């Protein structure tokens, strides 16, 4: 997986209070996932599918835009789910 993608996505997760989570690319279907510290998947983002495990810079930038929009829409739901 691209460490650059993970690092940039981590900044977005940190900004919305999901700092104990990270992103990963599902090896079988290449969808972006948000996972916990032990690798347990919180959510698979069907709308962000990468072409390969190590995407190029242009693909990373597009994935970041989509991920940012995804977080803007769903962060309140994640916070509620995590607190319960």
């Amino acid at each position: 997986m691209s460490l650059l993608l993970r690092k940039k996505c981590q900044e977005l997760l940190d900004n919305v209070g999901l700092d104990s989570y990270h992103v990963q690319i599902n090896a079988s279907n290449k969808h972006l996932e948000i996972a916990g510290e032990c690798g347990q998947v919180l959510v698979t983002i069907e709308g962000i599918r990468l072409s390969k495990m190590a995407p190029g810079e242009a693909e990373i930038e597009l994935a970041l835009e989509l991920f940012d929009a995804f977080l803007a829409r769903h962060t309140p739901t994640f916070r509620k789910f995590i607190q319960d």
Side-chain angles (χ1 to χ4, degrees), residues 1 5-7 9-10 13 21-25 32-35 45 67:
M1 180 181 147
L5 174 63
R6 183 169 173 166
K7 181 179 179 182
C9 286
Q10 189 63 51
L13 287 169
Y21 291 86
H22 65 275
V23 297
Q24 59 190 27
I25 300 172
L32 196 64
E33 300 175 329
I34 299 175
I45 307 168
F67 187 62

Side-chain angles (χ1 to χ4, degrees), residues 18-62:
L18 298 173
D19 50 306
S20 62
Y21 291 86
H22 65 275
V23 297
Q24 59 190 27
I25 300 172
N26 182 293
S28 63
N29 60 26
K30 307 296 185 289
H31 286 116
L32 196 64
E33 300 175 329
I34 299 175
E37 293 174 347
C38 297
Q40 184 175 1
V41 176
L42 174 65
V43 66
T44 299
I45 307 168
E46 298 287 330
I48 305 176
R49 183 172 185 212
L50 300 144
S51 63
K52 53 188 171 183
M53 292 296 287
E57 185 64 34
E59 192 172 16
I60 289 173
E61 291 305 317
L62 177 57

